[in-house]
Amino acid sequence: MYKSIIINIDELWLKGRNRKYYFKTLRDHVKLVLKAHAKEQVMELKNEQQRLVARSESGFTNDAIQSLVKVPGISSIQPAISIAKDKDLILPTLIEKLDQELDKSVTTTFKVKSKRVDKTFPHNSLDLARELGHLLLKKFSCLKVNVKNPDIMIDIKVMQDSILISTEKFTATGGLPVLTSGNVVTMISGGFDSPVASYMMSKRGCRQDFIFFYAYPYVGDEVKEKIIKICEVLSQYQRGCRLYVVPFGEVQNRIAKDCHEEYRTILFRKYMVQTANYLADRIKGDAILTGDALGQVSSQTMRNMSVMDSCSRKIILRPLVGFNKLEIIKLAQKIGTHDISIIPHDDACSLFSPKHPVIKADFKYMNSYHEENDYSELLKKCLDEAEVYKFDVLGEYEEL
């Protein structure tokens, strides 16, 4: 088990004088994740030359390291061995580690990279890397140098009070720390799109709460269970979030009875956006997030997106607007929501779906329907009756 982790930061060099705020926000998130894995752990977490270094005598589990990989704002994670700042200790440590890791019956390529954070260390980075590479070649006949694409990258970092040695590097989510770009209400569904949209805005620093429109009795409990499973995954890219399961069957039933048939779908969306705005007001949300992709379905044409924008007091974020479906599905596989999204479920929108949904909604009709059918109090009542689930950074949840 590794007792040190090097946490490399993404995009912070762009932040100028705000860098301290972004750094502190990320540091708090990292601490939250590590503590969630080991509540009693005594841990040190320090900023060392624009990277975080976590140290613990009890060590960090692989699960903790993989959780950090999902934290937005981190570019990569390197589990490391920490030794005293003594050049003579580096080679024995490396030999012991490679003895455990190498399959000596096959050729393995490697490269040694060295960086001196402490410039007073009496060996420059290039000489140190060359010397260690030479000595490792003499020790292990199965090793071969490859400076462009090695199987093992041996990274030596000479810090102010120690030397950190790592041979593994995990690419992380990248982007900006959660909480640095505002609070968002994410309209979540069981398909591929909205979970991927959530991931996209997590890595742009948006803290999110989720709203799901539950069309009971037209759909069963299985769809709600599916949404909870999706939020278990998405919450691992957040730092604490809530899911609001809003009973919406009565609203959809009223709309379906009262409106022109071809307007059912877009009116469902209009009142969902209105409800999401009410939730945003209650939780101080700055924006509404959807998984819309231009032209993918009738409610996502340019005109109909414009209609939705006119219904919302909050800005509507659409990070997938230019994505193709296959691109979205690949991202769903990457973030871990794909296998949940393909589980079949009832969909009330499909149940009420007209044969020919409008693709260029008429603003006048939308406005006149709204004036004649003020559902404001009904929507607020639905929100009052919502089931609320609270998720932690590990994806574990409780109903409030």
Side-chain angles (χ1 to χ4, degrees):
M1 193 181 294
Y2 287 98
K3 295 184 178 180
S4 300
I5 306 174
I6 303 168
I7 301 165
N8 298 306
I9 315 300
D10 199 25
E11 290 198 20
L12 292 190
W13 70 90
L14 298 173
K15 297 305 169 191
R17 292 179 181 176
N18 292 325
R19 185 179 299 177
K20 190 174 179 182
Y21 163 67
Y22 283 81
F23 216 101
K24 181 183 181 307
T25 305
L26 181 59
R27 185 178 182 278
D28 291 345
H29 194 170
V30 168
K31 194 171 181 180
L32 199 63
V33 170
L34 293 177
K35 281 291 181 186
H37 278 279
K39 289 182 175 58
E40 306 302 324
Q41 186 176 53
V42 178
M43 177 185 61
E44 178 187 74
L45 184 60
K46 290 176 65 177
N47 173 1
E48 299 193 18
Q49 293 293 315
Q50 304 307 315
R51 61 179 67 80
L52 291 171
V53 179
R55 294 183 175 87
S56 170
E57 280 305 311
S58 55
F60 300 101
T61 64
N62 286 331
D63 286 346
I65 291 169
Q66 292 309 313
S67 288
L68 288 180
V69 165
K70 295 176 182 174
V71 172
I74 297 176
S75 65
S76 62
I77 301 289
Q78 294 176 267
I81 298 171
S82 179
I83 60 174
K85 206 164 66 176
D86 180 345
K87 175 174 172 284
D88 293 338
L89 295 177
I90 300 176
L91 184 62
T93 305
L94 272 176
I95 289 173
E96 183 181 354
K97 181 164 178 55
L98 292 177
D99 253 335
Q100 297 168 3
E101 295 180 355
L102 287 175
D103 178 353
K104 298 182 181 64
S105 64
V106 297
T107 299
T108 302
T109 60
F110 81 110
K111 176 182 177 180
V112 179
K113 186 172 74 172
S114 174
K115 182 177 178 63
R116 288 184 309 157
V117 173
D118 178 7
K119 300 300 183 188
T120 66
F121 190 69
H123 306 277
N124 73 47
S125 301
L126 194 57
D127 288 347
L128 189 60
R130 281 177 178 163
E131 182 180 340
L132 288 168
H134 171 71
L135 293 172
L136 289 173
L137 281 172
K138 286 178 67 176
K139 176 66 181 177
F140 297 101
S141 59
C142 62
L143 283 179
K144 183 180 177 182
V145 173
N146 182 335
V147 296
K148 291 185 177 177
N149 188 27
D151 297 322
I152 299 177
M153 175 67 80
I154 298 171
D155 192 344
I156 314 291
K157 284 187 171 59
V158 181
M159 311 301 283
Q160 294 296 341
D161 54 4
S162 65
I163 293 175
L164 296 172
I165 300 172
S166 63
T167 58
E168 291 180 284
K169 190 172 188 177
F170 300 99
T171 301
T173 298
L176 299 173
V178 172
L179 272 182
T180 59
S181 297
N183 293 313
V184 169
V185 173
T186 300
M187 294 172 60
I188 195 79
S189 71
F192 294 118
D193 303 346
S194 55
V196 172
S198 167
Y199 163 76
M200 297 290 286
M201 298 314 291
S202 287
K203 66 190 183 78
R204 296 316 302 160
C206 292
R207 186 200 167 276
Q208 298 173 41
D209 284 309
F210 300 91
I211 185 168
F212 170 63
F213 297 95
Y214 183 37
Y216 184 82
Y218 305 105
V219 298
D221 282 343
E222 69 279 0
V223 64
K224 184 171 65 175
E225 292 163 5
K226 180 177 177 179
I227 296 299
I228 290 173
K229 285 182 181 176
I230 287 174
C231 287
E232 285 180 299
V233 176
L234 297 178
S235 58
Q236 295 174 55
Y237 298 91
Q238 287 286 304
R239 50 181 293 178
C241 56
R242 297 184 183 206
L243 165 66
Y244 295 79
V245 179
V246 178
F248 215 64
E250 182 184 349
V251 177
Q252 287 179 286
N253 189 39
R254 284 199 194 184
I255 295 169
K257 286 180 178 176
D258 293 338
C259 75
H260 294 169
E261 182 182 339
E262 66 272 25
Y263 276 81
R264 280 180 186 169
T265 304
I266 193 165
L267 281 167
F268 290 164
R269 292 283 290 178
K270 175 241 182 304
Y271 286 105
M272 289 176 182
V273 168
Q274 188 174 335
T275 309
N277 272 261
Y278 290 143
L279 177 58
D281 290 339
R282 294 184 183 188
I283 62 173
K284 299 182 180 178
D286 304 298
I288 308 300
L289 171 60
T290 78
D292 293 351
L294 184 61
Q296 189 177 114
V297 293
S298 64
S299 63
Q300 295 169 20
T301 62
M302 189 80 79
R303 168 73 71 85
N304 289 352
M305 285 187 187
S306 177
V307 169
M308 286 302 106
D309 287 343
S310 71
C311 299
S312 180
R313 290 175 288 103
K314 308 287 184 182
I315 183 175
I316 298 180
L317 303 175
R318 299 182 176 93
L320 306 185
V321 69
F323 277 55
N324 300 332
K325 196 67 176 181
L326 285 178
E327 293 172 323
I328 295 170
I329 290 173
K330 283 182 181 176
L331 273 172
Q333 291 169 331
K334 175 184 172 183
I335 66 175
T337 55
H338 174 274
D339 290 353
I340 307 171
S341 292
I342 61 174
I343 298 171
H345 69 273
D346 295 328
D347 182 357
C349 289
S350 299
L351 181 67
F352 289 110
S353 179
K355 288 183 180 177
H356 303 289
V358 64
I359 58 174
K360 289 187 178 180
D362 180 31
F363 280 91
K364 287 184 179 177
Y365 177 73
M366 294 293 291
N367 290 334
S368 66
Y369 185 88
H370 176 73
E371 289 170 2
E372 294 168 9
N373 298 275
D374 183 2
Y375 294 148
S376 302
E377 294 308 314
L378 175 60
L379 300 180
K380 290 174 184 174
K381 177 173 173 287
C382 292
L383 204 50
D384 291 338
E385 295 173 353
E387 297 172 27
V388 184
Y389 298 84
K390 181 181 178 183
F391 293 76
D392 67 15
V393 291
L394 301 184
E396 296 173 356
Y397 71 91
E398 60 177 334
E399 185 174 359
L400 300 179

